[in-house]
Amino acid sequence: MRRELHRLPPSPASLPFASSGGGPKLAAGGSSGFAPRRGWETPSGLPPCGRGRDRARTPGSRRHRPCGRKRKRAALRCGGMLALAVLLLLLLAAGPGRAAAGPGRDALREELLLSPLPNGDVAATFQFRTRWDADLPRGAVSHYRLFPKALGQLVAALGVRELHLTLTQGFWRTQAWGQPPLQAPSGAELWVWFQPTVTDVDKAWKELSNILSGIFCASLNFIDATNTVTPTASFKPLGLANGTDHDLLRYAVLPREVVCTENLTPWKKLLPCGSKAGLAVLLKAERLFHSSYHSQAVHIRPICRDASCLAVSWELRQTLTVVFDTFSSGQGKKDWSLFKMFSRTLTDACPLASQSKVYVDISPKNKEKELLEVTPPPTSVYEATVQGDKRTYAVYDLLSPSLFNTSRSLNVQFKWKRPEDSSEMPIPILHAQRYVSGYGLQTGEISTLIYNTHPYRAFPVILLETVPWYLRLYVHTLTIITKGKENKPSYIHYQPAQDRRRPHLLEMLIQLPANSNTKISIQFERALLKWTEYPPDPNHGFYVSSSVLSALVPSITAMKDVDVEESPLFTSLFPSADGSSYFVRLYTEPLLVNLPTPDFSMPYNVICLTCTVVAVCYGSFYNLLTRTFHVEEPSRGGLAKRLANIIRKFRGVPPL
């Protein structure tokens, strides 16, 4: 370390100059810590700055001779050149960073959608979209501004093309709440598309799940070959790439994963402004988890940089959806506000955001119009066709200077002008449910009901079933019944399970007639596990992940093509090229199945009995082996005995 310090010449400000008289001179007896060794020179051939060779000590002298003007100028010139070189290097290093920090390189959009649900609940959907014009797969990016560095390095190192992770607590009730903007299954779901350059996909998948487990404090490290599948028809890429090689796709679900605050905190830290400014100030954990439904997600995908699509940009979309039961929390009133739901209000937008808006769905829920009222007045009104229905939204632009003129904070309040009629709730066009039937612990049946309520349009749907290996499916019992008749699937793909290696995978393309319900059932047999494979609470049951439905649902109202960059975020995650239909992905309920479970109390009883017997037998035997016996001679008695014998002698009684 000392040799390296000797090599670095000091700057002119650090030279031991003492101003005296006619010019700068070396301080008497001064000794710099950067004294060069003999024979070391700068690249220019000059001796090192500070002291030269001619300034070595002479015999009999205790002080160094003052250097001449040439040496002083050389020292100043050397220090100045060094400072200029360092400044030039800093400017070159800051050049790409400043270019990356420009508006054309990365941008942040934040959005909050507040939707009153048909049954009176309120759904709040947060979306934070970070777009970055960079080439992540090549790993040439070293400067990160808005895009999280942890995720950027992960994408570049493991060759990830698309990544979709969701952590959900609860279940989205489609029949009561309608079609969700972004639905996810209960628990943890992860599906990833890898780059064609990845040679070992399974190894990259395992490493990716372990890294994500550490980033989000989740149990994703339990993802292994026993719960991972490779779908062939479902989960097409949402980005630019048109996936044809399904060997690059991996999909896994952990239905028992519990989502709590320790998962929300690292998710908020990935935001450019954290939870200190913008819409993220509403993300108060104790309010978010006091809800009927909570789902947070991370989506990474490549998108077109412009209309010509000659260059690729990367999009990170962080979404969070919560459903509040305002009727029970509002003492029987369906009116709500931001403060009632989140215990906070909005004060400003994120300084790094180029767009920050709040959308409130004010579409009439009944045939009569103008039943809803929002305060304060919105900055604008937006009309669009979302999921086949015409919607009207009140828009609050947090970047508008006029929004915070009258008040320092924004507290959106929603009121019903009159009580809502007890009319029937609108039924979504596509919804499904699943249940398990049967009796005993040997066999059973899994049934899935799919409903198409469109009055005159039929459309196909892709069904994905993932069943654990310990439920042994009987494929010959698969039946599909529609309107009392057999409905043969157009496409079917089945991959049988292997014990303790991989689960069952069943994919089918089924045609749903108009205004019909379709029942899909298959029988299974329960396997007997090893005693070490049971969880700590085996009598609770074993979870089976949700079924996945993917379909292009016909739209009742014609939809227009909109610009993805100009349209709201809640309409651009699943783009549809055809204006007559929209893409929907639904999830059914997870199943809870009981397996033959041994009586784990018997080992406890055996252990207790064995320990008791061993303790009694061994204790007695050990006591006999280690105890020593002594023969005690009978004592003659004490003073009391002698006195008693004397009295007995006088009385003529035998002595004791």
Coordinates of all heavy atoms in Angstrom, one line a residue, residues 96-97 100-101 105-106 132-149 151-157 305 312 314:
P96 N -22.3 9.7 -20.3 CA -23.4 8.7 -20.5 C -24.4 8.8 -19.4 O -25.6 8.5 -19.6 CB -22.6 7.4 -20.5 CG -21.2 7.7 -20.9 CD -21.0 9.1 -20.3
G97 N -24.0 9.1 -18.2 CA -24.9 9.1 -17.1 C -25.9 10.2 -17.3 O -27.1 10.1 -17.0
A100 N -28.2 9.3 -19.9 CA -29.3 8.4 -19.3 C -30.3 9.1 -18.5 O -31.4 8.6 -18.3 CB -28.6 7.2 -18.6
A101 N -29.9 10.2 -17.9 CA -30.8 10.9 -17.0 C -31.7 11.8 -17.7 O -32.6 12.4 -17.1 CB -30.0 11.7 -15.9
R105 N -34.2 9.0 -22.0 CA -33.6 7.8 -21.6 C -34.5 7.0 -20.7 O -34.7 5.8 -20.8 CB -32.3 8.1 -21.0 CG -31.3 8.7 -22.0 CD -30.8 7.6 -22.9 NE -30.0 6.6 -22.3 CZ -29.6 5.5 -22.9 NH1 -29.8 5.3 -24.2 NH2 -28.9 4.6 -22.2
D106 N -35.0 7.6 -19.7 CA -35.9 6.9 -18.7 C -37.0 7.9 -18.3 O -36.8 9.1 -18.2 CB -35.1 6.3 -17.6 CG -34.3 7.4 -16.8 OD1 -34.3 8.5 -17.3 OD2 -33.7 7.1 -15.8
W132 N -37.2 2.6 -19.6 CA -35.8 2.8 -19.7 C -35.3 2.4 -21.1 O -35.5 1.3 -21.5 CB -35.0 2.0 -18.7 CG -33.6 2.5 -18.5 CD1 -33.0 3.6 -18.9 CD2 -32.6 1.8 -17.8 NE1 -31.7 3.7 -18.5 CE2 -31.4 2.6 -17.9 CE3 -32.5 0.5 -17.2 CZ2 -30.2 2.1 -17.3 CZ3 -31.3 0.1 -16.6 CH2 -30.2 0.9 -16.7
D133 N -34.7 3.4 -21.8 CA -34.1 3.1 -23.1 C -32.7 2.6 -23.0 O -31.8 3.4 -23.1 CB -34.2 4.4 -24.0 CG -35.6 4.9 -24.2 OD1 -36.5 4.1 -24.0 OD2 -35.8 6.1 -24.5
A134 N -32.6 1.4 -22.7 CA -31.2 0.8 -22.5 C -31.2 -0.6 -23.0 O -32.3 -1.3 -23.2 CB -30.8 0.8 -21.0
D135 N -30.0 -1.2 -23.2 CA -29.9 -2.5 -23.7 C -29.4 -3.4 -22.5 O -28.2 -3.6 -22.2 CB -28.9 -2.6 -24.8 CG -28.9 -3.9 -25.5 OD1 -29.7 -4.8 -25.2 OD2 -28.1 -4.1 -26.5
L136 N -30.4 -3.9 -21.7 CA -30.0 -4.6 -20.5 C -29.4 -6.0 -20.8 O -28.5 -6.4 -20.1 CB -31.3 -4.8 -19.7 CG -31.7 -3.6 -18.9 CD1 -33.0 -3.9 -18.1 CD2 -30.7 -3.1 -18.0
P137 N -29.9 -6.8 -21.8 CA -29.3 -8.1 -21.9 C -27.8 -8.2 -22.2 O -27.1 -9.1 -21.8 CB -30.1 -8.7 -23.1 CG -31.4 -8.0 -23.1 CD -31.0 -6.6 -22.7
R138 N -27.3 -7.1 -22.8 CA -25.8 -7.2 -23.1 C -25.0 -6.8 -21.9 O -23.8 -6.9 -21.9 CB -25.5 -6.2 -24.2 CG -26.2 -6.6 -25.6 CD -25.8 -5.7 -26.7 NE -26.4 -6.1 -27.9 CZ -26.2 -5.4 -29.1 NH1 -25.4 -4.4 -29.1 NH2 -26.8 -5.9 -30.2
G139 N -25.6 -6.3 -20.8 CA -24.9 -6.0 -19.6 C -23.9 -4.8 -19.8 O -23.0 -4.7 -19.0
A140 N -24.2 -3.9 -20.7 CA -23.3 -2.7 -20.9 C -23.8 -1.5 -20.1 O -23.2 -0.5 -20.2 CB -23.3 -2.3 -22.4
V141 N -24.8 -1.7 -19.3 CA -25.3 -0.6 -18.5 C -24.7 -0.6 -17.1 O -24.6 -1.6 -16.4 CB -26.9 -0.7 -18.3 CG1 -27.4 0.5 -17.5 CG2 -27.5 -0.7 -19.7
S142 N -24.1 0.6 -16.7 CA -23.5 0.7 -15.4 C -24.1 1.8 -14.6 O -23.8 1.9 -13.4 CB -22.0 0.9 -15.5 OG -21.8 2.1 -16.3
H143 N -24.9 2.6 -15.2 CA -25.5 3.8 -14.5 C -27.0 3.5 -14.4 O -27.7 3.4 -15.4 CB -25.2 5.1 -15.2 CG -25.9 6.3 -14.5 ND1 -25.4 6.8 -13.3 CD2 -26.9 7.0 -14.9 CE1 -26.2 7.8 -13.0 NE2 -27.1 8.0 -13.9
Y144 N -27.6 3.6 -13.2 CA -29.0 3.4 -13.0 C -29.6 4.6 -12.3 O -29.0 5.1 -11.3 CB -29.3 2.2 -12.1 CG -29.0 0.8 -12.8 CD1 -27.7 0.3 -12.8 CD2 -30.0 0.1 -13.4 CE1 -27.4 -0.9 -13.4 CE2 -29.7 -1.1 -14.0 CZ -28.4 -1.6 -14.0 OH -28.2 -2.8 -14.6
R145 N -30.6 5.1 -12.9 CA -31.3 6.3 -12.3 C -32.6 6.0 -11.7 O -32.8 6.1 -10.5 CB -31.4 7.4 -13.4 CG -32.0 8.7 -12.9 CD -32.0 9.8 -13.9 NE -32.7 11.0 -13.5 CZ -33.9 11.3 -13.9 NH1 -34.6 10.5 -14.8 NH2 -34.5 12.4 -13.5
L146 N -33.6 5.6 -12.6 CA -34.9 5.3 -12.1 C -35.2 3.8 -12.0 O -35.9 3.3 -11.1 CB -36.0 6.0 -13.0 CG -36.0 7.5 -13.1 CD1 -37.1 8.0 -14.1 CD2 -36.1 8.1 -11.8
F147 N -34.6 3.1 -12.9 CA -34.7 1.6 -13.0 C -34.0 1.0 -11.8 O -32.8 1.3 -11.6 CB -34.2 1.1 -14.3 CG -34.8 -0.3 -14.7 CD1 -35.9 -0.3 -15.5 CD2 -34.3 -1.4 -14.2 CE1 -36.5 -1.5 -15.8 CE2 -34.8 -2.6 -14.5 CZ -35.9 -2.7 -15.3
P148 N -34.6 0.1 -11.0 CA -33.9 -0.5 -9.9 C -32.6 -1.3 -10.3 O -32.7 -2.1 -11.3 CB -34.9 -1.4 -9.2 CG -36.2 -0.9 -9.7 CD -36.0 -0.3 -11.1
K149 N -31.5 -1.0 -9.7 CA -30.3 -1.7 -10.1 C -30.4 -3.2 -9.8 O -29.8 -4.0 -10.6 CB -29.1 -1.1 -9.3 CG -27.8 -1.6 -9.8 CD -26.6 -0.8 -9.1 CE -25.3 -1.3 -9.6 NZ -24.2 -0.6 -8.9
L151 N -32.9 -5.2 -10.0 CA -33.6 -5.9 -11.1 C -32.9 -5.8 -12.4 O -33.0 -6.8 -13.2 CB -35.1 -5.4 -11.2 CG -36.0 -5.5 -9.9 CD1 -37.3 -5.0 -10.2 CD2 -36.1 -7.0 -9.5
G152 N -32.3 -4.7 -12.7 CA -31.6 -4.5 -13.9 C -30.4 -5.5 -14.0 O -30.2 -6.1 -15.1
Q153 N -29.6 -5.7 -13.0 CA -28.5 -6.6 -13.0 C -29.0 -8.0 -13.1 O -28.4 -8.9 -13.7 CB -27.7 -6.4 -11.8 CG -26.9 -5.1 -11.8 CD -26.0 -4.9 -10.5 OE1 -26.2 -5.6 -9.5 NE2 -25.1 -4.0 -10.6
L154 N -30.2 -8.3 -12.5 CA -30.8 -9.6 -12.5 C -31.2 -10.0 -13.9 O -30.9 -11.1 -14.4 CB -32.0 -9.7 -11.6 CG -32.7 -11.1 -11.5 CD1 -31.8 -12.1 -10.9 CD2 -34.0 -10.9 -10.6
V155 N -31.8 -9.1 -14.6 CA -32.2 -9.3 -16.0 C -31.0 -9.6 -16.9 O -31.0 -10.4 -17.8 CB -33.1 -8.2 -16.5 CG1 -33.4 -8.3 -18.0 CG2 -34.4 -8.1 -15.8
A156 N -30.0 -8.7 -16.7 CA -28.8 -8.8 -17.6 C -28.0 -10.1 -17.3 O -27.5 -10.7 -18.2 CB -27.9 -7.6 -17.4
A157 N -27.9 -10.5 -16.0 CA -27.0 -11.6 -15.7 C -27.6 -13.0 -16.0 O -26.9 -13.9 -16.5 CB -26.7 -11.6 -14.2
R305 N -39.5 1.3 -28.6 CA -39.1 2.6 -28.2 C -39.9 3.7 -28.8 O -40.2 4.8 -28.2 CB -37.6 2.8 -28.4 CG -37.0 4.1 -27.8 CD -35.5 4.1 -27.9 NE -34.9 2.9 -27.2 CZ -33.6 2.7 -27.1 NH1 -32.8 3.6 -27.7 NH2 -33.2 1.7 -26.5
V312 N -35.4 -1.0 -28.9 CA -36.1 -1.7 -27.8 C -35.9 -0.9 -26.5 O -34.8 -0.5 -26.2 CB -35.7 -3.1 -27.6 CG1 -36.4 -3.8 -26.4 CG2 -36.0 -3.9 -28.9
W314 N -37.0 -1.0 -22.1 CA -37.4 -1.9 -21.1 C -38.4 -1.2 -20.2 O -38.3 -0.1 -19.8 CB -36.2 -2.4 -20.3 CG -35.4 -3.4 -21.0 CD1 -34.4 -3.2 -21.9 CD2 -35.6 -4.9 -21.0 NE1 -34.0 -4.4 -22.5 CE2 -34.7 -5.4 -21.9 CE3 -36.4 -5.7 -20.3 CZ2 -34.6 -6.8 -22.1 CZ3 -36.3 -7.1 -20.5 CH2 -35.4 -7.6 -21.4

